[in-house]
Amino acid sequence: MLEESFKWRSAYKPEEIRWAEVAHEGETGKVSRANFHDRLGRTVLIMRPGMQNTASEENNIKHLVYLLENAVLNLSEGQEQMSWLIDFTGFSFGTKLSIKTARDIIHILQNHYPERLGIAFLYNPPRIFQAFFKAVKYFLDPKTAQKVKFVYPNNKDSLELMKSLFDMDNLPSEFGGKATLKYDHEEFSRLMTEDDVKTAKYWGLDDDKPFTTKNGHSGAEVAPEPVASIVS
């Protein structure tokens, strides 16, 4: 498994992906890093599948891989896992997310980011999602499947679970908290561009050649396209 991950990282070069390459995928805020950690110090990724804006499997996966790498970069000291908060507002089967894409994402997460996922909250998913999840669950390792929690508003057990892992003052109202979730693409782009500098420094990469994103933020030179697909 370790050998295969080395091969994947050598071919796909996730540490060389820069925000300007995937920023167009994030314009709606379908996946973003929260500005808070959970009570265990885990980085929190917020996912909103109802905000899906493109149909490109390759670009969707590249965008998510970038944010997985960024989540690891921003872990609290001594912490190795992240939390996912998935908001199903606006989700339907018309959303541009195929079972194949979900399967490939699961493959990457389980095989190349093992044990990085601490817990994933599926908040208030519609009934029609249950069929989709049953199909996707087939590809999940049982240990990973146990980390997926369905939570619902006005459910006492769900509320207690959220309170146990999150400061409700920081948690967005979409997940039963008191904060307001407002995605600002320009501000998020600025933060990601700053993190690109930290990423390059961490990996010892030469990112001296700047580019400018659509929002006018400078950053590193765009990395070349990967020489191999992440899907075997």
Side-chain angles (χ1 to χ4, degrees):
M1 186 175 180
L2 182 61
E3 182 180 357
E4 289 302 312
S5 283
F6 277 136
K7 290 179 180 178
W8 176 77
R9 293 192 71 92
S10 178
Y12 197 68
K13 303 185 188 308
E15 73 280 2
E16 293 186 12
I17 303 172
R18 295 295 176 262
W19 177 246
E21 300 174 67
V22 297
H24 64 286
E25 290 288 336
E27 289 179 352
T28 60
K30 63 186 178 187
V31 185
S32 62
R33 174 170 58 81
N35 61 358
F36 58 88
H37 290 73
D38 69 11
R39 294 189 187 277
L40 298 180
R42 296 181 291 204
T43 305
V44 177
L45 287 185
I46 295 176
M47 304 180 178
R48 298 190 284 180
M51 302 297 287
Q52 181 60 248
N53 59 329
T54 70
S56 169
E57 177 187 357
E58 179 182 357
N59 290 336
N60 270 286
I61 292 176
K62 191 173 185 179
H63 175 242
L64 180 60
V65 167
Y66 172 88
L67 286 165
L68 289 174
E69 292 283 315
N70 184 267
V72 173
L73 180 72
N74 285 281
L75 288 170
S76 298
E77 185 175 355
Q79 182 55 261
E80 296 183 350
Q81 295 184 315
M82 67 187 79
S83 295
W84 289 6
L85 289 174
I86 307 175
D87 173 21
F88 282 88
T89 301
F91 176 84
S92 71
F93 278 116
T95 300
K96 304 179 182 69
L97 180 64
S98 68
I99 289 179
K100 181 179 184 300
T101 300
R103 183 195 65 191
D104 292 340
I105 289 171
I106 289 169
H107 174 82
I108 291 172
L109 182 68
Q110 291 185 158
N111 291 278
H112 306 309
Y113 296 90
E115 294 303 311
R116 285 299 190 185
L117 178 63
I119 194 165
F121 292 99
L122 280 61
Y123 195 82
N124 200 28
R127 289 183 179 275
I128 59 172
F129 180 77
Q130 294 179 10
F132 181 85
F133 184 75
K134 285 181 180 179
V136 169
K137 191 176 180 180
Y138 175 79
F139 304 104
L140 283 175
D141 180 273
K143 190 173 182 180
T144 302
Q146 291 179 358
K147 298 176 181 180
V148 178
K149 308 296 182 182
F150 283 72
V151 292
Y152 299 91
N154 303 318
N155 179 282
K156 183 179 179 180
D157 292 336
S158 293
L159 182 60
E160 290 303 315
L161 181 59
M162 298 300 283
K163 283 183 176 180
S164 70
L165 287 172
F166 295 97
D167 181 338
M168 302 305 281
D169 289 332
N170 292 330
L171 190 68
S173 58
E174 285 83 351
F175 301 101
K178 300 178 181 178
T180 300
L181 176 60
K182 183 180 180 181
Y183 178 74
D184 185 324
H185 187 60
E186 184 170 355
E187 174 62 15
F188 192 72
S189 293
R190 183 186 66 79
L191 293 173
M192 293 301 97
T193 302
E194 290 177 356
D195 275 1
D196 283 349
V197 176
K198 292 190 289 185
T199 297
K201 184 178 180 180
Y202 177 82
W203 290 100
L205 301 174
D206 181 11
D207 274 15
D208 291 336
K209 297 178 182 180
F211 60 69
T212 301
T213 69
K214 292 181 180 179
N215 291 316
H217 303 299
S218 63
E221 183 181 28
V222 175
E225 287 297 314
V227 297
S229 172
I230 61 174
V231 182
S232 59

